[in-house]
Amino acid sequence: MEPKLSTRIKSLSTSQTIAMAERAAELKSEGVDIISLSLGEPDFDTPEYIVEAAKKAMDDKFFKYPPIVGYKDLRQAIVNKLQRDNHLDYSIDQIVVSTGSKQSIFNAAMVLVSPGEEVILPSPYWVSYFEIAKLVGGIPVPIKTTIENDFKITPQQLEVAITPKTKLMIFNTPSNPSGSVYSKEELQALGKVLEKHPNVYVIADEIYEYINFTGSFASFAEIGAIKDRVVTVNGVSKAFAMTGWRVGYMAAHPTIAKACAKIQSQVTSGANSIAQKATIVALNGGKDRIQYMIDAFDERRQLMYQLLKEIPGFKVNMPTGAFYFFPDVSALFGKEFNAYKVNNATDLSMYLLEEAKVATVTGDAFGNPECLRFSYATSKEELKEAIRRVKKALKY
């Protein structure tokens, strides 16, 4: 007899980024030469000075359960980082360390959103935002953007989207999948709208903060009038090439932080003890010690821009952060390639996987079905070969 699953899990979609990565890995295991541009994972190793800190933590026998909210010295390192880099003043009781920033986002949404309340999602959004909003009983409300305005929402769009049922906006800068970075002036303009709606909160996902080519970065919580309604989320997976270490954190109003600690105590407890100790060293070292990775991403960004612009039917803008391109490929819809009809971005993504042996992710997963996401978190040689294959598959 087939098990009867909950309506909750039946309504939840599988992450298409992970699904495509798994399909690419499956084909690779079968001996197919796949180039994966689907997963947002740096190809660098975790820096050695961070690895050494983990070894020391093991030598020092940090083997017991850590505190639910994270070690005190790690939370102090986070407080110091937020002061140094973001001009934000928090106390350690406002910091909660979690098993990755995704858990921080889920915790915050879980404690803020009641069933039936609306969650605004500037689109394109990271795939998990939509599903997290649903999972906590919220109603996702996307705000559509286009490549012509670099996939950024305007204050006018935000004002129109807010209703009496709005409780939360999940906001990402630098953005996955578009690579867009909001300036301080743009955040202030959005903040002016939010000032008028005191019941609306913001989860500001800043996981790509350091992978930013604009020369500056502004946190949403820097807007003083709404700071207490902003939950700042960050982590070490992307900038420090620590995806497998699973450490993220949030900074929030003490009441929100306490509520998130409460839910975490019943779900996962504290994050990995060794990884926490390594994270202290990562955060204390800051951006300067991983600048070589950021410089490499910038070189790849410049290369990828030139390569993608050469493909007829691809409308491309220059992203200013993260490590993704999100070209509009709708000009190819309705066309046929090698007897394969491309009706939408999902069709095109599957065609490129099967024909070009290049894994991408359909923009449908991010709320913009006209686009495809390409990750450039891999070598320049692989990027060149991948786009050569794409052009060949599209007969260009």
Side-chain angles (χ1 to χ4, degrees), residues 198-212:
N199 295 320
V200 179
Y201 292 76
V202 177
I203 295 175
D205 181 357
E206 300 178 355
I207 190 68
Y208 292 96
E209 173 191 355
Y210 285 167
I211 307 173
N212 172 9

Side-chain angles (χ1 to χ4, degrees), residues 46-65:
T46 302
E48 192 59 30
Y49 68 96
I50 299 173
V51 175
E52 288 301 320
K55 292 177 181 177
K56 184 178 187 305
M58 286 188 279
D59 289 340
D60 292 342
K61 297 182 169 37
F62 280 95
F63 302 146
K64 304 296 184 183
Y65 285 129

Side-chain angles (χ1 to χ4, degrees), residues 131-203:
E131 299 305 319
I132 286 172
K134 285 166 37 182
L135 196 57
V136 302
I139 301 170
V141 179
I143 300 179
K144 186 70 183 289
T145 64
T146 64
I147 197 167
E148 284 76 19
N149 65 349
D150 288 326
F151 300 107
K152 294 180 181 181
I153 64 168
T154 65
Q156 293 76 22
Q157 285 180 299
L158 178 58
E159 185 70 74
V160 169
I162 293 174
T163 75
K165 291 185 177 180
T166 305
K167 185 60 178 292
L168 179 66
M169 176 170 71
I170 307 181
F171 190 87
N172 184 208
T173 179
S175 168
N176 173 8
S178 71
S180 298
V181 181
Y182 284 76
S183 69
K184 187 170 186 177
E185 292 71 27
E186 288 168 331
L187 293 182
Q188 287 172 332
L190 296 175
K192 287 289 185 185
V193 176
L194 293 168
E195 281 183 44
K196 298 184 288 184
H197 300 277
N199 295 320
V200 179
Y201 292 76
V202 177
I203 295 175

Side-chain angles (χ1 to χ4, degrees), residues 247-268:
V247 177
Y249 59 86
M250 69 161 63
H253 185 281
T255 300
I256 297 173
K258 187 176 180 180
C260 288
K262 182 179 180 182
I263 194 168
Q264 188 161 298
S265 73
Q266 299 292 358
V267 179
T268 60

Side-chain angles (χ1 to χ4, degrees), residues 46 69 97 143 150 187 189 228 232 238 267 274 354 358 389:
T46 302
V69 293
V97 178
I143 300 179
D150 288 326
L187 293 182
D228 283 348
T232 300
K238 307 297 185 180
V267 179
I274 305 303
E354 300 297 334
V358 174
R389 294 183 187 185

Side-chain angles (χ1 to χ4, degrees), residues 94-339:
Q94 294 179 267
I95 308 297
V96 180
V97 178
S98 300
T99 308
S101 60
K102 185 185 290 190
Q103 187 188 9
S104 296
I105 294 165
F106 176 81
N107 286 349
M110 193 73 175
V111 305
L112 287 171
V113 179
S114 296
E117 292 182 324
E118 294 174 349
V119 180
I120 291 175
L121 304 174
S123 171
Y125 43 75
W126 182 44
V127 292
S128 291
Y129 297 161
F130 195 93
E131 299 305 319
I132 286 172
K134 285 166 37 182
L135 196 57
V136 302
I139 301 170
V141 179
I143 300 179
K144 186 70 183 289
T145 64
T146 64
I147 197 167
E148 284 76 19
N149 65 349
D150 288 326
F151 300 107
K152 294 180 181 181
I153 64 168
T154 65
Q156 293 76 22
Q157 285 180 299
L158 178 58
E159 185 70 74
V160 169
I162 293 174
T163 75
K165 291 185 177 180
T166 305
K167 185 60 178 292
L168 179 66
M169 176 170 71
I170 307 181
F171 190 87
N172 184 208
T173 179
S175 168
N176 173 8
S178 71
S180 298
V181 181
Y182 284 76
S183 69
K184 187 170 186 177
E185 292 71 27
E186 288 168 331
L187 293 182
Q188 287 172 332
L190 296 175
K192 287 289 185 185
V193 176
L194 293 168
E195 281 183 44
K196 298 184 288 184
H197 300 277
N199 295 320
V200 179
Y201 292 76
V202 177
I203 295 175
D205 181 357
E206 300 178 355
I207 190 68
Y208 292 96
E209 173 191 355
Y210 285 167
I211 307 173
N212 172 9
F213 315 110
T214 66
S216 64
F217 177 77
S219 286
F220 221 135
E222 287 184 62
I223 304 167
I226 63 168
K227 180 187 173 187
D228 283 348
R229 291 189 276 131
V230 176
V231 179
T232 300
V233 173
N234 211 323
V236 292
S237 61
K238 307 297 185 180
F240 295 95
M242 294 175 67
T243 51
W245 297 68
R246 310 311 305 135
V247 177
Y249 59 86
M250 69 161 63
H253 185 281
T255 300
I256 297 173
K258 187 176 180 180
C260 288
K262 182 179 180 182
I263 194 168
Q264 188 161 298
S265 73
Q266 299 292 358
V267 179
T268 60
S269 296
N272 178 280
S273 58
I274 305 303
Q276 284 196 53
K277 290 297 181 180
T279 297
I280 296 170
V281 173
L283 294 179
N284 287 344
K287 186 178 179 181
D288 290 346
R289 298 197 70 174
I290 45 93
Q291 187 63 46
Y292 66 95
M293 287 192 267
I294 300 167
D295 291 342
F297 286 134
D298 195 13
E299 289 180 14
R300 297 170 186 182
R301 178 179 69 119
Q302 303 288 345
L303 171 65
M304 195 69 162
Y305 182 62
Q306 296 303 322
L307 294 173
L308 289 174
K309 279 203 312 180
E310 295 172 359
I311 305 176
F314 276 41
K315 187 186 294 183
V316 186
N317 70 327
M318 176 62 100
T320 50
F323 35 66
Y324 308 105
F325 276 82
F326 201 56
D328 184 319
V329 294
S330 57
L332 300 180
F333 297 171
K335 296 185 181 295
E336 201 169 278
F337 302 96
N338 295 326

